[in-house]
Amino acid sequence: MENKESIKKIYIDKIKKIIRHNELYYSKDKPLITDQEYDNLKKSILDLEKKYKYLSHKNSPSKNIGFKPSKNFKKQKHKVPMLSLSNIFNKEDLENFEKKIKNYLDFNQIQKFEYSVEPKIDGISASLTYVNGNLELGVSRGDGYEGELITENLKTINDIPKKINLKGFPKNIEIRGEVYINKSDFENLKEKFANPRNAASGSLRQKESIETKKIPLKFIAYTFGLFEDNYFNKQSEFLNSLEKWGFKISKYNKVISNIDELIKNHEAFEKKRYELEYDVDGLVYKLNNLKLQSRLGFVGNAPRWAAAHKFSAASSFSKILNIEIQVGRTGALTPVAKVKPVNIGGVLVSNATLHNEDEIKKKDIRIGDIVKIERAGDVIPHVVSVDFNKRSSNSKKYKFPNKCPSCGSYVEKEFNKYTKKYDVVKRCSSEGYTCEKIAIEKIKHFVSKDALNIDGLGKKVVEKFWEKKLIRFPQDIFKLDYNKIENLEGWGSQSTSNLNYSINKSKDISLNKFIYSLGIRHIGQENAKLIAKHLQTKENFFKIDKKYDFQKFINIDGIGEIQISSLRNFFLLKENIKVVRELSNYLNIENETVNNSGKLKNFSFLITGKLENMSRAEVKAIIEKNAGKILSSVNKKLDYLIVGEKPTTKKVNQAKELGIKIINNSELIKLLN
Ligand code: IVH
């Protein structure tokens, strides 16, 4: 029956649906439907409005420009990775940051450094490749190693020069910076996006560049990627040239050379952060000397020579409605306060972590309390303190559970042999995949961005598939029943075939990502890389079982007893071995490509004593960069012993006995030239 009310209801349901999918896409970046399904939904709303003139809603797609970005951009590898920055929060962190740099460079601690100080604009970074002055490629950051090719969209931004006809402009250079939106321009887009950053990211990824053009995006340049024949000595000089070449740079950039001045500047800047024209979440400090930057290089995903000094967190008060216990991938029980939703610095917060049992005890946090909640950057909001004046008289102390809320196993605190202390974290004592929550978290980890990186298989989808009994172990991902999936609510033929495609694509994986994907405790990305580099082939990895001589790993620089005992525990469990074996049938694991084209190939080194003008870490990095190997003891396999001041006599004597060449670090540098 076609009456006004029922049509209105159908219409409003569709509007609600589109609001939900907009939210999933823009704020959560977890779309549940395909672009096509979204377009169909949008069209059905527009059709209804056309037919029944009385239908109208402020969130109707007819009222806003097509905001659905496309996810179908071509992928593009970055020639130089786009890495992240490590964070510092206070003076102590800053002092440590500088100390580490000085140690690495073997500089005197009183030596002064100059820093380029730049605001950390909260936007989306992009990399622009100019060849002979022409903007040839524009790429989003992506995972840092591979981004999306969004040249046309970037070209719509006025601040980005398309052609640079200037003498002295480098012939081949990648210029990098931040795409962002001014706070005042965001006012008009408030209805559709949670914050300016989401607005920038959403509009940058429009399928049609004409849609991007409608949004007043801006660009500030701050660094380079690939830069052939880089002739600059200082970051600040490079920034000034950027401006001469026609780029916008931040007017707040500065050069500062001591820690007290940096702190003063940070305090002053933090006070005026809300008056700035764009969102800034901290200051970036970069060692100004580019030669020193390149000596320092990178550790993990971040440069040693730069850091982000974050502003203190935004905070607000809310009521704790409940305390829930989450069980993590490694069995850790984390208490989470479910709070009455509250807006903190532009983000709606309804969960805040309470860290662990001790923290709840120490702060005497209870259900029903009014608490102060803080949120900084991308980290999970946390409860800072309780407002005891507002506590009700009948509130009760919170009792932390003694059993795993997921599987009922008893929980335990581990004793750390090395620190001789009990861990603060309580863990579920069941192992492997018997505890439901642990199993789900392991699968989420397995498919996550840094592991198998399966698009369309986000956390919510893993939970849904688990609930529908489609998966119990990581390998089940490769045996999915796609007919069943297609008929699930929110799924269709397009989204199912997209999922199938990304799962197949994920089967080609490097050995280090595979090791990381298993979610072995204490084996994060860096350690997985070290182990993979050591083992080199998947065959070597598949040899590992409970009888394996794990102690061999102690030779790997960076792997210690904690990691070794964790690996041993992992392989003691039959179930884990079964998972590894089964996965090997589905995956094409690529052997680790070791750097074997350097001048030090086939040579091994050991360092003893204090070296001149260089830290041990830097010498090691140089050796590895040139394909040499570092050993951890003197033995027949050793080719060179590098000695500095006050070497270990035993090592020198052993080397002499075995006829091993003994050199100092300048002789090492000679080997390289
Ligand atoms: S330099 C390896 N400079 O911060 C050097 N980054 O956490 C990293 N960012 O993805 C980039 N302002 O989006 C640099 N002046 C600035 C920056 C800046 C904001 C962002 C950028 C990057 C993230 C790193």
Side-chain angles (χ1 to χ4, degrees), residues 83-85 118-121 124-125 141 178 222-223 284 286 298 303 305:
L83 302 177
S84 45
L85 291 166
E118 305 159 23
K120 187 165 187 293
I121 303 172
I124 300 294
S125 50
R141 178 173 184 268
E178 206 76 359
Y222 49 65
T223 194
V284 182
K286 300 175 185 168
F298 298 83
W305 44 265

Side-chain angles (χ1 to χ4, degrees), residues 355-381:
H355 301 293
N356 53 55
E357 182 182 17
D358 289 5
E359 179 84 1
I360 297 181
K361 268 193 197 149
K362 198 172 78 196
K363 295 183 174 162
D364 187 19
I365 297 164
R366 305 177 185 190
I367 295 171
D369 278 349
I370 303 292
V371 290
K372 184 179 179 187
I373 303 161
E374 247 181 32
R375 188 197 135 252
D378 301 332
V379 295
I380 306 165

Side-chain angles (χ1 to χ4, degrees), residues 254 263-273 311:
K254 278 185 184 170
I263 295 288
K264 254 195 234 157
N265 177 63
H266 189 265
E267 280 168 3
F269 205 78
E270 179 157 22
K271 281 199 191 108
K272 61 174 187 193
R273 66 183 284 208
F311 292 139

Side-chain angles (χ1 to χ4, degrees), residues 179-193:
V179 176
Y180 68 97
I181 202 160
N182 266 346
K183 284 195 253 183
S184 55
D185 290 325
F186 176 68
E187 284 302 308
N188 307 320
L189 298 163
K190 246 185 172 150
E191 310 258 296
K192 290 150 207 137
F193 301 102

Side-chain angles (χ1 to χ4, degrees), residues 323 325 333-336 353-366 383-384 386 388 397-402 411-414 421-427:
I323 294 179
I325 306 292
L333 268 51
T334 306
V336 175
T353 181
L354 298 166
H355 301 293
N356 53 55
E357 182 182 17
D358 289 5
E359 179 84 1
I360 297 181
K361 268 193 197 149
K362 198 172 78 196
K363 295 183 174 162
D364 187 19
I365 297 164
R366 305 177 185 190
V383 171
V384 185
V386 175
F388 291 107
K397 262 205 173 357
Y398 179 73
K399 231 183 133 251
F400 203 89
N402 282 319
V411 294
E412 56 195 2
K413 284 188 176 178
E414 267 170 33
K421 273 187 195 149
Y422 279 97
D423 203 355
V424 283
V425 176
K426 273 187 172 166
R427 282 174 206 280

